Amino acid sequence: MPSGTSATARALTVDGVPADGRTLRHVWNECVGAGRANEALRADWQAHFREAVDVLGARYVRFHGLFHDDMFVYRGDDGGGGGFGPPTPLAEPVHTFSYVDKVFDFILSTGARPFVELGFMPRALATQTETLFWWKAHCSPPTDMGRWADLVTATVRHWVERYGLDEVRQWRFEVWNEPNLVPLFWTGTRTQYFELYEATVRAIKAIDAGLLVGGPSTSVFVPDARYAGETEDRTASIATGQAENPDALDWRPVWIEEFIAWCAQRDLPVDFLTAHLYPTDYAATPAGGHKEISRYVDATYDDLTLLRSIVAASPYPDAEVHITEWSTSPSSRDRSHDTLFAATYITRAYLRCAGLADSIAYWTFTDVFEEGGAGLGPFHGGFGMVNEQGLHKPTFHAFAMLAQLGDEVLADLPHGVLTRDRATGRVAGVLHHYPDEMGGRSVRAESTYDDARRLADVGTRRTVRHTVAGLPAGATFDLVQLDGEHGNVAEAWHAMGQPINLTLQQTADLRAAADALLRRTLTASDDGVLQIDLDLPPWAVVGLFQTSPAAVGA
């Protein structure tokens, strides 16, 4: 019998098989992503995040732009002048944290914590400026590495003084974001990024050795040698070849092995490794365009398995593995993000990959997200689990179901999982119907909602039957079902004619449709047996949650 399994759990069986007893890590809500720090000053962002914490169980949040100009951290002048002349230059840079404090105070007030992405470069310290985004981020090496280290030191010391060392030791400090994407997220070389990491980790560890630092936060796995050198070689991209079966290619992480070797040679700490594992690769072409390569449904599982093996065999075998961005695609205009199909995809992937990472951060929790500016209409393919009006997309409901799972596996099922909460004994499950007719395909990125809707015709109904024995007599369960007709808010918007600007009444109608999941109650027999007998339409996601008694055996 596995250690940590109680006598009560031993009596539970699923389809006649004793409880599994393995621990289920909730990698889905350990961390969630967001756009940039300044957006966190908005009331709607804060409302959406508080709901993500309270309903979805989000524990950390990560975003870009901590040091961007609109956070006013690195000050080379007094900010005066206006229409009366230029601001007064300062003899030495001054670091101010009033805007940062507002953001971090709020995050901590919700019970969550920041997963700190250290970037991007303040304009006054950048070698190149306005490299990407509507808000004109400066993603370059610093003009003075010493002043970058001073900025990091001042910032982290401020947090320690404000929140206490014990609190800040529970944060994670990730150095930069996707530095392999030159000249967008980084204008330097691979070695220059490694040097930035060295300066940063030494600065933070000089404050306290117990503070946790990692990287390299690189984007996607690739099947070619485009990132083998100091900068991207687009002529080596598989997009220039004729790969008819991308899943047969050798997909490898970007810079992870080189980063580990570089740090080990210099005896640098690496507390955790980070990467982004989108199952869709937008490979750049020499002509300047991009070619989409869509991988199969288990690409994330395979990538994580490989990444874990690399870390285990490295000089840092105990390093945590955090996937700090993940979704069905890395496009903020992918209409599939708004759909039921994405919800089913992520449910399946999270349950399959739960044992392979310390966190897999969904990118993002909200459509309050302005990398390319605000979206065109309420459902524009934004990354969020809620749209700009706070309407719950199907992915929100999938996360809400996953959040209610226990920490002990009772049974891994072909299409889901049944669990138990070790503290309360509460039994819960999540089941899904990702159609076999997909043939292993993932949910592709789509530029229009009409294109994304085509998957509604894929798949046939599925019968799901399981027996759970050993429950209290008459135990009751809430069953909630997300499917094409229940909780499918983008489809309700489509039925309205896809209006770009919603009236107040349309918003209220969509809010009701968004949360109108199918709900019913299941009851165990007098001898403690629950019969689960479901007829699921394609793409359905179902949650099953014990409501009484409060604990097994009570």
Side-chain angles (χ1 to χ4, degrees):
M1 176 178 167
S3 61
T5 304
S6 72
T8 303
R10 180 170 46 224
L12 281 170
T13 64
V14 178
D15 300 332
V17 178
D20 184 305
R22 289 179 297 109
T23 295
L24 178 67
R25 180 186 287 275
H26 285 210
V27 294
W28 43 83
N29 56 12
E30 188 67 25
C31 182
V32 293
R36 79 182 194 277
N38 189 267
E39 291 161 1
L41 295 169
R42 289 174 47 165
D44 50 0
W45 190 103
Q46 293 189 4
H48 299 171
F49 183 67
R50 190 175 292 279
E51 184 179 45
V53 174
D54 293 344
V55 178
L56 309 183
R59 299 180 180 95
Y60 288 81
V61 61
R62 170 187 179 267
F63 41 74
H64 307 319
L66 176 70
F67 295 143
H68 188 59
D69 303 332
D70 59 9
M71 296 303 287
F72 301 102
V73 176
Y74 188 91
R75 313 298 295 276
D77 58 56
D78 67 356
F84 303 98
T88 303
L90 301 174
E92 292 292 330
V94 173
H95 308 121
T96 60
F97 301 105
S98 60
Y99 279 33
V100 171
D101 289 346
K102 292 175 185 179
V103 172
F104 280 55
D105 288 355
F106 169 74
I107 292 169
L108 292 167
S109 77
T110 68
R113 293 188 167 97
F115 194 118
V116 181
E117 177 195 308
L118 292 167
F120 295 119
M121 203 60 63
R123 177 184 293 271
L125 198 53
T127 52
Q128 293 189 46
T129 60
E130 301 183 11
T131 63
L132 81 167
F133 297 152
W134 165 84
W135 45 276
K136 299 179 180 179
H138 320 305
C139 298
S140 73
T143 56
D144 185 322
M145 191 67 80
R147 288 197 166 176
W148 166 262
D150 290 344
L151 171 60
V152 170
T153 298
T155 304
V156 177
R157 284 195 184 279
H158 172 75
W159 287 328
V160 170
E161 291 169 0
R162 188 174 183 87
Y163 305 118
L165 181 59
D166 289 344
E167 169 62 36
V168 180
R169 278 179 173 173
Q170 298 182 72
W171 303 3
R172 303 293 185 277
F173 295 94
E174 183 184 34
V175 182
W176 215 256
N177 175 77
E178 297 186 348
N180 61 298
L181 294 185
V182 176
L184 302 175
F185 282 103
W186 187 243
T187 63
T189 64
R190 183 175 66 192
T191 297
Q192 284 178 301
Y193 167 74
F194 291 169
E195 290 169 347
L196 185 83
Y197 179 85
E198 178 174 14
T200 305
V201 71
R202 291 195 187 281
I204 294 175
K205 293 292 186 177
I207 297 170
D208 181 77
L211 298 174
L212 302 177
V213 189
S217 188
T218 42
S219 69
V220 302
F221 278 35
V222 296
D224 49 50
R226 76 186 83 152
Y227 297 118
E230 284 289 311
T231 57
E232 180 183 7
D233 177 7
R234 295 188 176 183
T235 65
S237 170
I238 201 70
T240 66
Q242 301 296 322
E244 300 204 1
N245 182 9
D247 299 319
L249 301 172
D250 183 22
W251 293 82
R252 303 287 303 181
V254 175
W255 291 8
I256 295 288
E257 291 157 294
E258 296 89 344
F259 174 72
I260 289 172
W262 200 88
C263 291
Q265 289 170 2
R266 288 155 181 81
D267 198 26
L268 296 176
V270 178
D271 296 308
F272 58 89
L273 278 301
T274 62
H276 302 162
L277 297 185
Y278 295 105
T280 303
D281 176 26
Y282 290 92
T285 65
H290 289 80
K291 176 181 178 180
E292 178 188 334
I293 302 176
S294 183
R295 301 174 64 193
Y296 84 123
V297 68
D298 283 323
T300 299
Y301 178 88
D302 288 349
D303 290 348
L304 274 171
T305 301
L306 174 59
L307 183 56
R308 273 293 187 190
S309 69
I310 290 171
V311 174
S314 78
Y316 304 97
D318 298 323
E320 298 173 348
V321 172
H322 294 282
I323 305 307
T324 48
E325 289 186 25
W326 181 79
S327 183
T328 53
S329 80
S331 167
S332 63
R333 296 298 180 267
D334 172 7
R335 296 303 184 95
S336 294
H337 289 150
D338 301 328
T339 67
L340 169 68
F341 320 121
T344 315
Y345 176 90
I346 67 169
T347 300
R348 181 189 184 280
Y350 271 128
L351 291 176
R352 184 148 166 72
C353 298
L356 294 174
D358 293 278
S359 71
I360 304 176
Y362 189 73
W363 192 257
T364 58
F365 76 87
T366 178
D367 274 357
V368 177
F369 181 94
E370 297 178 345
E371 288 186 356
L376 293 174
F379 296 100
H380 54 268
F383 287 119
M385 293 181 266
V386 299
N387 79 343
E388 292 172 356
Q389 290 81 19
L391 301 178
H392 298 150
K393 299 182 188 181
T395 48
F396 178 93
H397 296 300
F399 269 85
M401 293 183 202
L402 290 168
Q404 294 189 65
L405 290 174
D407 57 351
E408 179 184 16
V409 176
L410 295 180
D412 264 326
L413 305 174
H415 308 291
V417 68
L418 292 175
T419 69
R420 172 185 176 272
D421 186 284
R422 288 191 174 105
T424 67
R426 181 173 177 262
V427 172
V430 171
L431 305 169
H432 60 80
H433 182 353
Y434 193 89
D436 294 336
E437 291 83 354
M438 287 293 287
R441 290 179 292 134
S442 61
V443 175
R444 291 177 56 89
E446 299 289 359
S447 59
T448 71
Y449 184 65
D450 288 337
D451 287 340
R453 294 179 71 241
R454 293 174 186 170
L455 287 181
D457 297 326
V458 176
T460 56
R461 300 184 75 89
R462 172 182 293 159
T463 299
V464 175
R465 292 191 178 98
H466 297 289
T467 300
V468 183
L471 295 164
T476 58
F477 290 79
D478 280 347
L479 184 146
V480 295
Q481 182 170 313
L482 171 71
D483 60 36
E485 297 180 356
H486 301 92
N488 195 0
V489 66
E491 191 63 13
W493 171 72
H494 171 75
M496 286 181 174
Q498 301 185 16
I500 291 179
N501 298 299
L502 300 177
T503 67
L504 290 175
Q505 186 59 54
Q506 286 173 326
T507 302
D509 291 344
L510 288 175
R511 195 174 306 280
D515 295 334
L517 274 63
L518 179 65
R519 301 176 187 274
R520 56 194 176 101
T521 300
L522 300 184
T523 304
S525 66
D526 290 342
D527 56 355
V529 176
L530 178 71
Q531 298 290 348
I532 302 171
D533 191 350
L534 306 175
D535 179 28
L536 298 183
W539 303 103
V541 181
V542 173
L544 183 68
F545 309 112
Q546 184 180 348
T547 54
S548 68
V552 173

